[in-house]
């Protein structure tokens, strides 16, 4: 899209509204989910072109009939699974490790604690019959440069880790001695519970939501964001580089309102299929002779497209047959 001065790292960080990452007016800030200056001032198409599009090289999709900035959708996978869950899961696991939930014997290091954590995680997925390719937890996977806490994992694996941490941190928060070690323990447990509920409700819902489903999903996401913002403030005051505010929480806020207003399941707004296609492309590329890789990809892609075409045609025929039987 080549947005003009608009990106995650820019002051004008949203393509749908005038929210800012830095401003003398707190109402302009993207993490002010209530009493802000941008929630009721989403860009019209004309404002979008004037405020966010470059002078030259404008995206041709603007010429599509009935185009509106709201049709440019965020990917749930990149906003949540590969964004917000990095910080939430990392901080929750760090809380358990530093609090001694996986052992606190003299001389024990983080490698041993994380190995025990992974063993507990494997027991969790085995008990719940969940398939997950998550490798062993390591310090490098959680503790980044500059003291930043962020548990990087594949999108699906991060979702499974969230479910495990939701259960584990809740159990830990019931231990009064453990909960007293960090004032954020109960709030982290609540944030995990709301985020897990938010994703679970969407996973069990269809493409279009009832009013009750939409309101329930919206409230779960809203509760998570409110708790997350409070945790971010507490972490800053405590001098900890975790649970920091990031522009993706603003994107999630827009997605929540889309759920509430349009009653559409944003779970289907994700790049999981595209990521799967990239995996297929890599296997095809490395499985071909080095001198024929480009031609081989084109040839196999044509076969894959034809296969998809046949599936769609067969599906349409099945729908037509069912409609005839229904009549």
């Amino acid at each position: 899209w080549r947005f003009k001065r608009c990106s995650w790292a820019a002051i004008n960080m949203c393509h749908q509204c005038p929210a800012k990452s830095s401003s003398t007016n707190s109402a302009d800030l993207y993490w002010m989910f209530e009493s802000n200056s941008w929630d009721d001032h989403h860009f019209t198409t004309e404002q979008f072109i004037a405020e966010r599009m470059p002078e030259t090289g404008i995206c041709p999709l603007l010429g599509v009939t009935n185009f509106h900035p709201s049709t440019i959708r965020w990917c749930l996978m990149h906003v949540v699974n590969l964004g917000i869950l990095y910080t939430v899961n990392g901080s929750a696991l760090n809380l358990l490790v530093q609090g001694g939930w996986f052992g606190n014997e003299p001389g024990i290091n983080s490698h041993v604690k994380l190995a025990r954590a992974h063993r507990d995680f494997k027991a969790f997925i085995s008990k719940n019959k969940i398939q997950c390719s998550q490798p062993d937890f390591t310090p490098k996977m959680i503790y980044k440069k500059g003291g930043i806490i962020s548990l990087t994992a594949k999108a699906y694996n991060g979702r499974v880790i969230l479910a495990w941490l939701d259960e584990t941190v809740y159990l830990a928060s019931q231990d009064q001695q453990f909960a007293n070690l960090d004032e954020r323990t109960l709030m982290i447990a609540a944030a995990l519970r709301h985020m897990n509920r938010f994703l679970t409700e969407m996973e069990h819902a269809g493409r279009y939501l009832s009013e009750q489903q939409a309101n329930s999903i919206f409230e779960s996401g809203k509760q998570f964001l409110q708790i997350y913002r409070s945790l971010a403030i507490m972490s800053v005051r405590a001098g900890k580089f975790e649970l920091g505010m990031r522009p993706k929480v603003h994107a999630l806020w827009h997605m929540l309102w889309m759920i509430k207003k349009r009653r559409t399941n944003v779970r289907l707004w994700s790049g999981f299929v595209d990521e799967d296609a990239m995996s297929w492309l890599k296997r095809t590329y490395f499985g071909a002779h080095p001198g024929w890789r480009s031609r081989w990809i084109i040839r196999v892609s044509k076969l894959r497209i034809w296969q998809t075409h046949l599936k769609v045609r067969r599906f349409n025929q099945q729908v037509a047959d069912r409609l005839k039987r229904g009549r």
Side-chain angles (χ1 to χ4, degrees):
W1 282 95
R2 298 179 62 194
F3 292 128
K4 178 176 65 177
R5 298 184 297 277
C6 175
S7 68
W8 293 129
I11 293 178
N12 297 313
M13 39 68 61
C14 182
H15 68 268
Q16 285 194 7
C17 71
K20 301 180 182 295
S21 60
S22 177
S23 175
T24 55
N25 183 4
S26 61
D28 295 337
L29 299 174
Y30 68 79
W31 61 83
M32 297 299 292
F33 305 121
E34 301 90 13
S35 303
N36 58 62
S37 63
W38 43 263
D39 231 353
D40 296 325
H41 295 84
H42 290 193
F43 291 136
T44 63
T45 302
E46 292 75 15
Q47 291 172 331
F48 172 77
I49 294 173
E51 298 289 337
R52 295 295 183 258
M53 285 289 96
E55 287 75 12
T56 59
I58 293 180
C59 180
L61 290 177
L62 285 171
V64 174
T65 304
N66 297 325
F67 169 83
H68 189 271
S70 63
T71 58
I72 306 174
R73 298 170 178 173
W74 284 281
C75 169
L76 180 71
M77 181 186 74
H78 286 91
V79 170
V80 176
N81 299 63
L82 299 179
I84 296 174
L85 290 192
Y86 279 4
T87 56
V88 174
N89 287 347
S91 297
L93 184 53
N94 181 60
L95 176 74
L96 295 171
V97 170
Q98 298 301 323
W101 186 253
F102 300 113
N104 205 22
E105 306 93 310
I108 188 174
N109 57 32
S110 59
H111 288 273
V112 176
K113 293 181 180 180
L114 288 172
R116 293 175 179 176
H118 189 263
R119 188 166 62 240
D120 187 74
F121 171 72
K122 297 292 284 186
F124 169 82
I125 62 176
S126 177
K127 180 183 69 174
N128 292 280
K129 296 181 173 58
I130 301 173
Q131 292 185 346
C132 184
S133 62
Q134 176 61 35
D136 295 344
F137 298 136
T138 63
K140 288 185 178 180
M141 198 179 291
I142 303 173
Y143 306 112
K144 310 303 187 209
K145 292 182 179 180
I148 296 175
I149 307 296
S150 177
L151 175 55
T152 50
K154 290 183 178 180
Y156 172 75
N157 293 350
R159 171 67 182 97
V160 179
I161 292 171
L162 170 68
W164 166 66
L165 286 171
D166 175 27
E167 180 180 291
T168 307
V169 175
Y170 174 78
L171 290 174
S173 67
Q174 301 305 299
D175 185 324
Q176 193 63 40
Q177 184 177 359
F178 180 89
N180 290 336
L181 295 175
D182 193 317
E183 62 176 346
R184 305 170 303 161
T185 300
L186 293 177
M187 294 184 66
I188 291 177
L192 291 168
R193 179 57 49 91
H194 285 298
M195 174 53 77
N196 191 32
R197 184 180 299 159
F198 166 71
L199 293 175
T200 300
E201 288 180 347
M202 284 198 298
E203 290 162 0
H204 287 85
R207 178 181 293 273
Y208 302 108
L209 308 171
S210 66
E211 184 176 359
Q212 181 180 1
Q213 286 177 318
N215 289 336
S216 179
I217 294 172
F218 173 82
E219 287 301 324
S220 295
K222 179 181 177 182
Q223 289 293 326
F224 166 78
L225 288 175
Q226 290 175 336
I227 296 171
Y228 185 91
R229 184 176 60 188
S230 298
L231 284 168
I233 295 172
M234 294 171 68
S235 298
V236 169
R237 290 174 177 171
K240 298 181 178 181
F241 294 92
E242 51 184 326
L243 293 167
M245 293 304 297
R246 51 196 309 169
K248 289 186 177 182
V249 300
H250 180 81
L252 179 58
W253 180 253
H254 278 301
M255 297 174 83
L256 290 176
W257 275 105
M258 192 68 70
I259 291 171
K260 187 177 180 66
K261 292 179 179 178
R262 298 192 178 183
R263 287 161 53 179
T264 301
N265 193 341
V266 299
R267 175 179 62 86
L268 302 173
W269 301 356
S270 64
F272 281 104
V273 175
D274 299 322
E275 294 293 324
D276 181 65
M278 286 300 297
S279 175
W280 170 83
L281 182 62
K282 288 179 181 178
R283 291 197 305 272
T284 305
Y285 179 82
F286 289 111
H289 187 278
W292 294 86
R293 279 174 174 164
S294 297
R295 293 185 181 181
W296 179 248
I297 288 175
I298 294 173
R299 181 180 178 184
V300 176
S301 297
K302 287 181 179 179
L303 293 174
R304 191 176 175 91
I305 292 171
W306 179 246
Q307 180 189 40
T308 303
H309 172 72
L310 293 177
K311 286 183 178 179
V312 172
R313 190 163 65 181
R314 185 165 61 250
F315 172 76
N316 290 335
Q317 186 61 47
Q318 290 174 352
V319 172
D321 292 341
R322 289 180 182 176
L323 290 173
K324 288 180 180 179
R325 287 197 297 269
R327 293 172 183 173

